[in-house]
Each structure stands twice: as structure tokens, then as C-alpha cells.
Amino acid sequence: MSNPSPAITDIDQLKDRYALAQLLQWNANSVQSVKFDCNELSIYVDRSVLKDACGLLKPDFNFFSDVTCVDWFPNEPRFHVAYHLLSHARKERVRLKVALRGDDAVMDSIVAIWPGANYFEREIFDLFGIRFTGHPKLQRMLMPDDWEGHPLRKDYPVEGYR
């Protein structure tokens, strides 16, 4: 059994990857960092360009798979939101990621680009407290409306607030 290859984080080594090349050609400053590991590409973009980056990639990455969130508390940026995209024609996957500070966990919704993001963004809002501006119906969907806090945050009490 061989050891896996180490992750590649040098943009210059990855600039021939289609999604990264598209983003760099569109706006070289849009890419904050990259990571290619286990044959998977993750591209960190600033939240201010996420919606436009999704619109740019949509013709080629035609399938929105899901969006997830990770809370890295107590580290900052605390939240990392990851959009998983697939290109059927290219047989390629890419992850667009946005890092958010805990005291400023707000970003644009991409529901206008991929309507399938609707419930994923609502779930992240409900469980992590991330606000998605421009979302058509940003309200709780798993927790009761009067629930206090966001239970998937790392600083949420194990037994809830009492």
C-alpha cells in the first residue's frame, strides 16, 4: 500500500485545473487559496465574489450537489462554508469555499443561481446561524421558531440553553 500524494496548495501548480483557470482568468484576485488533495479541488474565494463565481462556473459545472458548513471554533475565521459542484461533461468536481469570521457570519445566497441551494442554506442558517442575504425565505426549518441559539455551533451548550 503506497502513501497518498501530499496535498498541493500552490496556485501555480494547479492553474491548469479548469475551474481554477476560469476563476483566475475572470478575476485573479477572486481566489484566496487552493488545495488539491485526494483528487479533489477546493478553491477558497472571498464572500464578495462567491455569487459571481458560481454564475461564472454554472455553464460548465451544471450540477449543484450541496452546501455544507464547518465550525472551527475557537479559530478564526470560524466558519467555512463549502459549495460542492459537479461538471457532468468534464467529469470533474470542485468545491468553492468561503471562510467567515464568527462575528460577521453573513454571505450572499446563491438560490437565484441554483434554486437547489434553498434548503441547504436554510439548514445552515438554522443550525449554524449563518445569514444568507437575498435568500427568498431565510427562516428555521429544523428547530422550532422559538429555539434559542444554533445547535451545531461548537460553543453551543451540550444540554442546550436553560
Side-chain angles (χ1 to χ4, degrees), residues 50-52 54-55 64 66-67 83 85 107-118 121 132-135:
L50 174 73
K51 191 172 182 180
D52 291 335
C54 287
F64 166 80
D66 70 354
V67 56
Y83 292 85
L85 311 177
M107 59 189 295
D108 287 337
S109 170
I110 65 157
V111 170
I113 296 167
W114 278 298
N118 187 339
E121 288 180 354
F132 293 90
T133 58
H135 190 283

Side-chain angles (χ1 to χ4, degrees), residues 48-77:
S48 66
V49 300
L50 174 73
K51 191 172 182 180
D52 291 335
C54 287
L56 175 78
L57 294 176
K58 185 177 181 180
D60 294 303
F61 288 84
N62 58 312
F63 184 77
F64 166 80
S65 177
D66 70 354
V67 56
T68 61
C69 183
V70 177
D71 182 356
W72 289 99
F73 179 81
N75 298 330
E76 287 291 350

